[in-house]
Amino acid sequence: MNSTQILKTAHQILQMNDFGGYTVPTQGLYPFQWNWDSAITALGWMPFDEARGWQEIEMLVAGQWKNGMIPHIIFHKGSDTYFPGPDIWGAGEKLESTSISQPPIVASMMLEMLRVAKDKELAEDKLVTLLPAIIEYHLWWYRDRDPENLGLVASYHPWESGMDNSPAWDEALEAVPQVTWSYQRRDLNHVDSAERPHKVQYDRYLYLVEFFKNCEFDALKIYENCPYKVQDVALNSMLYRASKDLLELSIEYKIEHPGLAVIEAELTKTQNAINSLWSPESEFFHSKNLRTGELCHEMTSAGFMPVYAGIVDSEKLPKVASLANRWAHESTYSLASTIPSSSRYEPQRYWRGPIWLHINWMIAQGFAEAEYPALAGKMRDDAKALLDKSGFFEYFHADSGAGCGGDNFSWTAAIAVHWLI
Ligand code: DGY
């Protein structure tokens, strides 16, 4: 696919998925506004319609809770093609939503949007209006999700990581009871079950959704009693980078907010705390199960995200890069979301092995900035080869390169225009 073809198809996909100011990730499978999908998709709109790109973020902020949380899904309009919908979550304030969040990359995407914006006046106008809400969002993470001041925030649901059925969560999720009521999954109406999580995982995902509702969404009650509580290495890395980007934007536009000093102090804490996620045995970063105090031992690409954060010290960085080089050659396309030598590697099943272009874009960005251009280049070349072979799918089989999950996917379109041409 040449640049003109990529631009044309990407634009068509974004237009097709535009539900009126917000973009659904793909029709049918995900018919609402998702937090991190939208942040990336906003960037994808920039070459076509800058005002529409900024509007994507405005629609996301419209779902913000009074405590600052921006939910993982905002249910702007009803749909019967997705489960669990707003009736099960029972949450939301100005708009119906879920009661958890998702990786907070929105500030980083806003910085990227500013960099590519042609209309700097429009960008300034939007940023000055939106930044205070994003500052509140970051403060919510630090306040509600790190009440013990550990320097790393906790997440309460695999959906909050965005990496739903990653094998990293297997042990932590086993501690969550399964619901016993029957329900009808809708995802399997759209995608082959071999590419989606198993029922046993859904039973536990739903238990957590009910648990939040039973706690009346009370931050402390949930922190103290949630049966699933992890320090997600990828989420914390994205939060760290986004906080740095948020400070940069706030300085640029002279935003005055008492929370900025808090965010700066949190960055220093995370710089130390990230080392508590390092395993000397695997010489790699892992998430931590806060209920047991143990690292989640499975090797997943989430462990490379501290490189994207720019937070890896000079002793660890060459070790992580050399692991990435080996990992990149263990599957036909780099970089599989689970290390292919693992017994839990499934190259087609959602977060258990497939290639996700947005994650690889971030990891490659990290390696490029850390001066590993060959590794970053290989990841980019492989991403382009996947797009050429299979088109704009949600994720890709790490060995055959086949498109998996939803087709005509918004963030794949966004990453293609932003990274691959
Ligand atoms: C799903 O429904 O599969 C989503 O990943 C939840 O965010």
Side-chain angles (χ1 to χ4, degrees):
M1 237 184 291
N2 63 33
S3 301
T4 315
Q5 287 163 327
I6 292 179
L7 274 171
K8 187 166 169 242
T9 314
H11 194 193
Q12 280 165 351
I13 291 171
L14 296 183
Q15 286 173 315
M16 181 197 312
N17 293 341
D18 184 355
F19 272 35
Y22 68 96
T23 317
V24 301
T26 183
Q27 291 192 34
L29 181 62
Y30 307 126
F32 308 109
Q33 186 177 26
W34 259 257
N35 183 330
W36 72 332
D37 288 78
S38 251
I40 294 171
T41 302
L43 182 57
W45 275 106
M46 291 305 273
F48 312 114
D49 184 345
E50 296 190 5
R52 179 62 188 78
W54 295 110
Q55 189 186 21
E56 190 76 28
I57 311 283
E58 287 166 344
M59 293 292 276
L60 196 59
V61 166
Q64 186 166 34
W65 287 21
K66 281 198 284 294
N67 64 6
M69 197 263 280
I70 300 184
H72 117 276
I73 305 176
I74 302 170
F75 301 112
H76 291 278
K77 285 180 218 156
S79 167
D80 59 5
T81 66
Y82 180 82
F83 176 86
D87 50 328
I88 306 287
W89 285 93
E93 292 183 358
K94 281 173 276 175
L95 297 169
E96 286 183 313
S97 72
T98 60
S99 62
I100 54 171
S101 193
Q102 243 184 345
I105 52 173
V106 62
S108 299
M109 297 308 115
M110 287 161 82
L111 181 59
E112 291 281 326
M113 288 165 77
L114 173 65
R115 287 185 180 143
V116 299
K118 295 205 170 63
D119 189 343
K120 298 288 187 213
E121 227 173 276
L122 175 71
E124 170 164 4
D125 186 45
K126 297 294 179 186
L127 282 165
V128 168
T129 315
L130 287 165
L131 284 172
I134 309 301
I135 293 170
E136 292 300 333
Y137 178 40
H138 282 231
L139 292 173
W140 168 79
W141 274 108
Y142 293 124
R143 186 185 59 241
D144 279 27
R145 297 309 188 85
D146 184 18
E148 290 182 82
N149 248 314
L150 304 174
L152 296 169
V153 301
S155 82
Y156 299 145
H157 199 298
W159 286 339
E160 198 155 54
S161 73
M163 303 181 179
D164 305 12
N165 65 340
S166 163
W169 315 138
D170 286 359
E171 280 76 21
L173 197 60
E174 262 170 38
V176 177
Q178 294 171 245
V179 293
T180 47
W181 43 275
S182 63
Y183 57 90
Q184 186 87 47
R185 280 173 67 174
R186 302 280 160 78
D187 55 323
L188 303 181
N189 296 342
H190 311 284
V191 175
D192 191 309
S193 61
E195 297 171 12
R196 292 288 301 174
H198 293 288
K199 177 179 180 323
V200 62
Q201 288 150 347
Y202 259 80
D203 287 349
R204 293 183 162 124
Y205 297 159
L206 291 169
Y207 178 91
L208 289 169
V209 171
E210 282 198 320
F211 169 79
F212 305 138
K213 203 163 45 176
N214 293 338
C215 290
E216 294 166 326
F217 314 117
D218 181 281
L220 211 55
K221 245 191 233 172
I222 297 176
Y223 187 78
E224 279 167 4
N225 302 304
C226 190
Y228 176 93
K229 192 161 71 168
V230 302
Q231 286 172 332
D232 172 356
V233 64
L235 192 151
N236 274 284
S237 299
M238 289 183 261
L239 176 62
Y240 179 86
R241 180 157 178 146
S243 286
K244 277 199 301 191
D245 294 343
L246 186 55
L247 290 180
E248 185 178 328
L249 286 167
S250 301
I251 291 167
E252 169 89 21
Y253 292 109
K254 301 185 176 46
I255 306 288
E256 285 180 20
H257 191 299
L260 291 171
V262 177
I263 292 173
E264 211 169 341
E266 292 293 346
L267 284 172
T268 310
K269 282 190 228 160
T270 306
Q271 273 156 24
N272 297 322
I274 199 79
N275 294 314
S276 65
L277 303 183
W278 176 258
S279 158
E281 286 80 47
S282 64
E283 302 198 311
F284 193 44
F285 289 98
H286 298 255
S287 297
K288 184 186 270 185
N289 180 351
L290 278 177
R291 301 235 53 112
T292 61
E294 280 167 23
L295 292 180
C296 307
H297 61 82
E298 195 62 34
M299 310 271 279
T300 71
S301 60
F304 293 115
M305 293 300 275
V307 181
Y308 168 68
I311 204 175
V312 184
D313 65 42
S314 56
E315 198 197 315
K316 298 185 179 78
L317 188 59
K319 294 179 177 162
V320 174
S322 122
L323 174 65
N325 265 314
R326 272 185 281 132
W327 191 316
H329 289 92
E330 280 189 23
S331 52
T332 315
Y333 299 91
S334 64
L335 188 88
S337 46
T338 297
I339 193 165
S341 50
S342 164
S343 59
R344 299 188 194 180
Y345 169 67
E346 292 180 82
Q348 86 298 342
R349 193 182 296 283
Y350 212 35
W351 284 95
R352 300 185 79 85
I355 311 277
W356 291 80
L357 297 196
H358 67 302
I359 288 295
N360 284 4
W361 166 57
M362 293 185 220
I363 295 172
Q365 223 174 302
F367 279 120
E369 288 163 5
E371 294 180 17
Y372 290 90
L375 185 52
K378 172 167 172 53
M379 289 177 71
R380 188 183 174 282
D381 290 348
D382 285 359
K384 177 71 171 58
L386 287 166
L387 192 79
D388 286 341
K389 182 179 167 75
S390 300
F392 293 76
F393 270 86
E394 181 180 4
Y395 45 98
F396 300 86
H397 190 298
D399 291 314
S400 73
C404 299
D407 196 0
N408 296 315
F409 216 81
S410 297
W411 70 18
T412 306
I415 295 299
V417 298
H418 189 72
W419 186 35
L420 301 182
I421 55 176

